[in-house]
Amino acid sequence: MGPLVVAKLTTCALNLFIALWSGLPPILMRRPLSFICSSIYFNSFVAGIFLAMSMIHLLPDSESSFRKYVTENKKSLHFPIAFMITLGSYTFLLFLEKVIMNSDRFSSNAHDYEENDSDERETLIGECEKINFYETKDELGKIERSKRPFYILASLVSQAFVVGTSLGIQNSIVGITKLGLVIALHIWSDAYVLGTTLNSYQKMSTPLSVFMISFFSLACPIGIYLGWIFFATSHLFSGIILAVSSGFYLYISTSEIVSTVMSHGQHRLLKFFFYLMGLSLMSSVKFMEERYLSLIHISEPTRQAEISYAVFCLKKK
């Protein structure tokens, strides 16, 4: 069993465990777990990681995959298709969560937060307040309250499946590791949001809630498996999946996290510092990755030249 296989199987198991560990306790214990709720500083740090992952890692990798596809098939491409797909996936999530679900994240709590600006209130503005995002009033009456958990599940499952597929098509240990850690943060947050939301619906039975959490938990491992087995060798599909994932992380970092933690409360400079830390961390990872690849490219021609010279000497004799 090669190292790539071990890395992908480990990532599958890790994400499955994280999803179940984060999503089931709020349902089975029938109350939120306060220690799972992350602070605004951690959210700011994660926002920087997600944004850098989108713009510095996934989007350039998507562009590279499309260029390889064009080169192999001897075609010409004069349109930034990777950017177009990224923008499309961002717009899709915006439409799904803001229009179809007709909700405004953190809106109700933002006003309460401004009235009570204590540090204790501030630490709860992070992931815990996503609960109330799904509890906002449906002014237009487009979605009945009883159906809202299923729309939430569909949104989170689609995100988990796509980002899982983007990990499955990775062909290097570095790519699997960096994307696996980012996806783990993503799955941890979404599983807790889903579990706490289901817990808030009194008419939602426990077996059904557990089934929905389990279904969500399997979305990412299934995406990893399908990307690994069927699509890892297709540059066209790899480019599409990476661009879609880039749009998803762009939406999560900007429209969900940054727009909230930077807009309300005190310590905005400190929150911005943690955001820069996440951004700098993923930028440093990209720099080290490119440096490592450049060293490989430099050593390969030297090795080929040595082999060619040896063959030339043998022929001369």
Side-chain angles (χ1 to χ4, degrees), residues 168-169 222 224-234 237:
I169 63 180
I222 291 175
I224 295 174
Y225 177 79
L226 292 179
W228 174 19
I229 299 299
F230 297 105
F231 307 115
T233 58
S234 173
F237 186 84

Side-chain angles (χ1 to χ4, degrees), residues 257-278:
I257 305 178
V258 172
S259 62
T260 301
V261 299
M262 295 297 181
S263 300
H264 307 287
Q266 299 175 338
H267 314 300
R268 293 179 181 175
L269 184 60
L270 185 58
K271 289 183 284 188
F272 185 71
F273 172 74
F274 277 94
Y275 162 80
L276 289 180
M277 285 182 58

Side-chain angles (χ1 to χ4, degrees), residues 19 31-32 46 53 76-77 100 102 124 129 148 153 161 172 174 176 191 195 209 226 236 275 279 295 298:
R31 62 184 180 88
V46 170
M53 192 69 200
S76 59
L77 183 64
I100 297 297
N102 192 27
L124 298 179
E129 289 198 350
R148 191 177 296 275
L153 178 65
F161 177 80
S172 67
V174 176
I176 295 172
S209 298
L226 292 179
L236 177 61
Y275 162 80
L279 203 64
L295 292 176
I298 291 173

Side-chain angles (χ1 to χ4, degrees), residues 192-211:
Y192 176 72
V193 169
L194 180 60
T196 312
T197 303
L198 295 176
N199 177 46
S200 66
Y201 283 79
Q202 300 298 329
K203 294 183 179 180
M204 187 72 65
S205 64
T206 300
L208 180 59
S209 298
V210 171
F211 172 79

